[in-house]
Amino acid sequence: MAVSAIETVEGRALLLVAFAKTGIRLVDSGWIKALELPAKITGGLFAASVLILLVDGSDALNLHKLGSWAQPLVVVVVILSGCLFASSIIAEVWQATESYRLKRQSKAHHKKRVQEFIADIPYLTENEKVILGYLRHYKQKRFTGAHDAGHARTLLSRGYVRYIGVAGQAIDPRDVPFEVSSHVWEVVEARPDDFPHRPKYSDKTKRVEVFPWRERLF
């Protein structure tokens, strides 16, 4: 009996290995691509196989005349095509709503960043507020400055302003393009009292207003 039990276990193990190899060959041969079939194909196959089962036994069709294997085969086709049809529908719905979901996630991320900037306003330096106030006053979301952003370097480090140069663009290190981040600009425009315009001039004549982010070299 012990020998018989061992042989039974070995036989089952060999059978499992054979099934595994068969499954691997099916995957390698491209059967897995059936999961990528569009809903109109899998739906048509599902509807056709269901229709065959419905008319089976009538004058139009009798599966038993084809053999005892015919009806079970159609049942298997119904189950498989039904599963494929359902997965195709789910995949197409997911793909159709992808842009909506991405847009919703983007709005949620933007709103979060707005709230984080508002919470950080009390901790901004006076010079940081003046820089943003100057840009708000002149409706100038973009500006140029030294490569280290000058007095706006802390705004740069916090992500409140960012570089906007593109790959391959020739840039003078004294005039690097910057832009106020969208979530910051939204708050700056909505709360002008927090970002006052306090002009400073290059001389006593008050003819030329200096850029508050520029550092004087001499």
Side-chain angles (χ1 to χ4, degrees):
M1 291 181 64
V3 174
S4 178
I6 292 172
E7 290 177 349
T8 302
V9 171
E10 290 178 350
R12 290 177 178 176
L14 291 173
L15 186 61
L16 289 173
V17 171
F19 275 123
K21 290 181 177 179
T22 302
I24 292 172
R25 284 196 293 270
L26 287 174
V27 172
D28 290 341
S29 62
W31 282 95
I32 195 66
K33 291 184 178 180
L35 296 174
E36 301 175 1
L37 291 175
K40 60 183 179 181
I41 295 179
T42 55
L45 181 60
F46 175 66
S49 55
V50 169
L51 182 61
I52 290 174
L53 286 180
L54 290 176
V55 300
D56 180 32
S58 65
D59 296 334
L61 179 66
N62 192 333
L63 292 176
H64 291 287
K65 291 182 179 181
L66 299 176
S68 59
W69 52 267
Q71 191 176 54
L73 177 62
V74 175
V75 172
V76 171
V77 172
V78 169
I79 294 173
L80 291 178
S81 61
C83 293
L84 290 173
F85 179 54
S87 64
S88 299
I89 290 293
I90 293 172
E92 290 187 8
V93 170
W94 183 263
Q95 186 176 5
T97 58
E98 184 177 9
S99 60
Y100 169 77
R101 288 182 287 104
L102 292 176
K103 187 175 181 180
R104 186 174 180 179
Q105 291 174 1
S106 178
K107 285 184 177 180
H109 180 65
H110 178 79
K111 184 177 180 181
K112 180 181 178 182
R113 297 185 72 190
V114 166
Q115 294 301 324
E116 289 175 347
F117 177 65
I118 291 174
D120 196 39
I121 289 177
Y123 307 102
L124 296 177
T125 66
E126 191 64 25
N127 201 41
E128 289 172 333
K129 293 179 181 180
V130 168
I131 291 172
L132 293 173
Y134 174 97
L135 297 171
R136 176 198 57 79
H137 177 77
Y138 289 105
K139 298 187 181 300
Q140 185 181 332
K141 190 178 179 181
R142 285 162 287 277
F143 63 97
T144 59
H147 65 91
D148 65 349
H151 292 304
R153 62 173 61 91
T154 51
L155 294 174
L156 178 66
S157 65
R158 291 287 292 164
Y160 298 155
V161 299
R162 61 188 184 90
Y163 295 110
I164 56 171
V166 297
Q169 179 181 0
I171 297 176
D172 187 331
R174 296 167 298 179
D175 284 296
V176 177
F178 296 92
E179 181 181 58
V180 180
S181 299
S182 296
H183 67 287
V184 174
W185 189 251
E186 180 180 320
V187 177
V188 169
E189 286 197 309
R191 304 176 62 159
D193 293 340
D194 290 326
F195 305 97
H197 175 230
R198 295 174 181 168
K200 294 182 180 179
Y201 300 95
S202 58
D203 54 34
K204 294 181 180 180
T205 61
K206 295 185 178 183
R207 293 179 179 178
V208 180
E209 184 177 355
V210 298
F211 301 133
W213 58 89
R214 290 279 189 181
E215 290 182 319
R216 296 187 65 176
L217 299 178
F218 301 102

